Amino acid sequence: MADNQLKEQERREARRKRRIRNQILVYVTLIVLILAVAVGIVFGVKWLTGLRDAREDQEESQAKMEEIFSDEPDIQVPEPTPTPVPELTPEERLDDIVNAGIEAMPLEDKVAGLFLVTPESITGVQTVVQAGEGTQNALAQYPVGGLIYFQKNIQSEEQIRQMLENTRMYAAPYPLFLAVDEEGGSVARVASAGIGTPVDSASAIGATGDANNAYVAATTIGSTLNSLGFNLDLAPVADLASVENSFMAQRVYGKDAATAVPFVTAMVQGLTEQNVTPCLKHFPGNGATAQDVHTGQAVSDRTLEQFQAEEFAVFQAGIDAGAPMVMVSLMAAPALTGSNEPCALSKEVVTDLLRGQLGFQGVVITDALNMSAVSEYYGADEAAILALKAGCDMLLMPEDFEKAYNGVLQAVRDGVISEERINDSLRRIYRIKYADRIAE
């Protein structure tokens, strides 16, 4: 009994000592933690204080730098000066438009663009008085440079106006010359159809001695043609009735250059002001022969010196007045060419004299190649090729359009005529057609 009590007392004593020891460990641990927190707080306060001081120092330094730089004058950094692009002149803009258009054209279309023909020659219709599906298909196959109309094509103002409007639309994207022979007097396709105000012949106007009458006639003709849709008049006649019984006597303004020059320049001015392109004809001067090129060979015995003193002076005046197109005659002038070949097929006449001596840079067009002066001696293809090689730009009314077209196309493919030569002609043609697309 006594032993058991002793053992129980010892156990209680041991538990008490263990409890005291554990309490001491807890207190020690708690003290250590408190000390550690206190140390951390001290170091944290020091770190935050240092960070604050550093930030204040930085802000102070920045303020000092701003104060320093604020005393300096502002440094202006110049804007880079763009390289000036020179503005294109109207002529340069026109060249760009023309060259871009030609570059996009296939060879077949380029060759077709050299022809000025009747609507019958491409449609196969006996007499064309309207432009419908047949015209549309024909122009798609043969996008010719222009169409020429005669009295048989004209029935009324509304009819011809609608036909020309449709034709122009069907020709897109290529602009067309829509041409007519409207000289006045007996050669007046529109007036003879009862449209517009008739004007006197060149010989009657020339006999008045007043060149203003030619200007009035040109304004009358031009305003009528423009209102109908025509943009090219194969006029005025710049020939002279320089030989006895000249077959051009009624269609010219006089026998000598001094008489004719003011009338021709007035006609050019009047037509141009009405936005109708004038075409001087028939270089070097159909009036220098009594024979008619419509019915056969016509030969002039005029010398080079005579042509230079008279006929050339009239054409030069018309060119200087702004005529952009000249038609070359089919008569023969051996003194100029050395042979009886038609002038339109002669390099001596077209290139050496018209372009070289007179300095003409516009469009050179042949007279109608279906006339007997050519058709009786040359095939349609041969005449067309010779005219282009002579320096002509446009081929008027070949006897057989398709034969002439295919002949020229093959000549280019074979290298007989270079494509660049065709491009040169097209540039001259399109400078007229696109002239209204640039602003002065």
Side-chain angles (χ1 to χ4, degrees):
M1 181 68 177
D3 290 337
N4 290 336
Q5 289 178 345
L6 181 60
K7 288 181 181 179
E8 179 62 28
Q9 186 178 358
E10 287 176 355
R11 282 196 295 271
R12 283 198 299 269
E13 183 65 24
R15 284 197 298 271
R16 186 182 67 81
K17 288 180 179 180
R18 192 166 50 250
R19 188 169 53 251
I20 293 171
R21 186 174 60 250
N22 288 339
Q23 288 175 346
I24 291 171
L25 286 175
V26 170
Y27 291 148
V28 170
T29 301
L30 183 59
I31 292 170
V32 170
L33 287 175
I34 291 172
L35 289 174
V37 170
V39 171
I41 290 172
V42 171
F43 279 101
V45 170
K46 287 185 177 181
W47 179 80
L48 290 173
T49 302
L51 183 63
R52 183 196 62 194
D53 293 342
R55 184 178 294 121
E56 289 176 352
D57 291 343
Q58 183 180 5
E59 290 175 353
E60 183 178 354
S61 298
Q62 185 175 352
K64 289 181 179 180
M65 293 295 290
E66 289 176 355
E67 182 179 355
I68 292 172
F69 281 107
S70 67
D71 294 335
E72 295 293 328
D74 290 340
I75 300 174
Q76 300 294 329
V77 180
E79 293 273 342
T81 304
T83 303
V85 178
E87 184 177 352
L88 295 179
T89 65
E91 289 291 310
E92 291 170 333
R93 291 202 303 274
L94 179 57
D95 287 339
D96 285 349
I97 294 171
V98 168
N99 289 331
I102 293 172
E103 185 177 349
M105 296 172 69
L107 178 60
E108 293 80 3
D109 291 0
K110 290 181 179 181
V111 170
L114 305 180
F115 287 86
L116 180 62
V117 298
T118 65
E120 290 81 9
S121 67
I122 60 172
T123 62
V125 176
Q126 185 173 1
T127 301
V128 173
V129 292
Q130 62 181 351
E133 186 177 354
T135 300
Q136 184 176 14
N137 293 337
L139 288 172
Q141 183 178 6
Y142 298 116
V144 292
L147 295 172
I148 181 170
Y149 298 86
F150 290 83
Q151 185 178 344
K152 68 178 183 177
N153 303 118
I154 305 170
Q155 296 177 329
S156 69
E157 287 189 37
E158 182 57 33
Q159 169 265 332
I160 186 63
R161 186 179 291 111
Q162 188 64 54
M163 181 166 68
L164 296 182
E165 183 179 340
N166 289 349
T167 301
R168 186 182 297 106
M169 177 180 64
Y170 294 145
Y174 304 127
L176 276 176
F177 283 132
L178 297 172
V180 68
D181 286 298
E182 199 73 17
E183 302 169 8
S186 61
V187 182
R189 319 304 186 192
V190 174
S192 297
I195 299 174
T197 303
V199 303
D200 288 337
S201 66
S203 62
I205 293 174
T208 68
D210 185 356
N212 187 61
N213 291 329
Y215 175 78
V216 172
T219 301
T220 300
I221 291 171
S223 62
T224 299
L225 296 186
N226 181 269
S227 70
L228 296 174
F230 290 105
N231 56 24
L232 172 61
D233 187 6
L234 300 183
V237 173
D239 302 336
L240 298 173
S242 55
V243 298
E244 188 176 356
N245 298 320
S246 169
F247 91 96
M248 294 291 294
Q250 298 302 310
R251 297 169 61 189
V252 301
Y253 292 100
K255 296 181 179 181
D256 58 79
T259 300
V261 162
F263 291 89
V264 170
T265 56
M267 279 289 290
V268 169
Q269 181 183 356
L271 289 171
T272 302
E273 288 177 359
Q274 298 301 316
N275 296 314
V276 174
T277 298
C279 175
L280 300 174
K281 61 184 186 185
H282 313 75
F283 186 82
N286 260 356
T289 177
Q291 300 152 318
D292 189 345
V293 293
H294 293 81
T295 58
Q297 188 180 60
V299 182
S300 173
D301 60 3
R302 297 270 281 178
T303 66
L304 173 60
E305 291 73 23
Q306 288 174 318
F307 275 116
Q308 289 175 325
E310 295 291 338
E311 282 87 351
F312 285 14
V314 184
F315 281 94
Q316 187 72 70
I319 292 168
D320 293 344
M325 186 178 290
V326 172
M327 180 183 292
V328 181
S329 170
L330 301 180
M331 76 172 188
L336 307 182
T337 65
S339 70
N340 281 340
E341 71 177 335
C343 288
L345 311 187
S346 168
K347 179 178 179 294
E348 289 78 10
V349 172
V350 178
T351 300
D352 298 343
L353 293 175
L354 180 55
R355 293 216 187 276
Q357 188 173 129
L358 274 67
F360 181 61
Q361 298 302 312
V363 172
V364 177
I365 185 171
T366 69
D367 203 346
L369 296 173
N370 60 359
M371 292 183 185
S372 296
V374 168
S375 62
E376 288 186 5
Y377 305 94
Y378 303 87
D381 51 350
E382 180 186 11
I385 292 169
L386 288 173
L388 291 174
K389 293 181 73 174
C392 293
D393 300 306
M394 296 201 79
L395 307 166
L396 176 62
M397 296 169 55
E399 183 181 27
D400 183 331
F401 164 69
E402 289 190 10
K403 184 177 182 181
Y405 166 79
N406 289 322
V408 173
L409 183 60
Q410 193 59 48
V412 178
R413 287 171 174 166
D414 292 342
V416 175
I417 299 173
S418 71
E419 185 170 354
E420 183 54 34
R421 167 68 186 82
I422 302 300
N423 291 345
D424 284 342
S425 287
L426 289 172
R427 289 187 188 101
R428 287 186 278 268
I429 292 167
Y430 275 88
R431 282 183 64 81
I432 298 175
K433 293 182 175 182
Y434 284 159
D436 62 348
R437 299 195 180 188
I438 58 172
E440 293 295 342

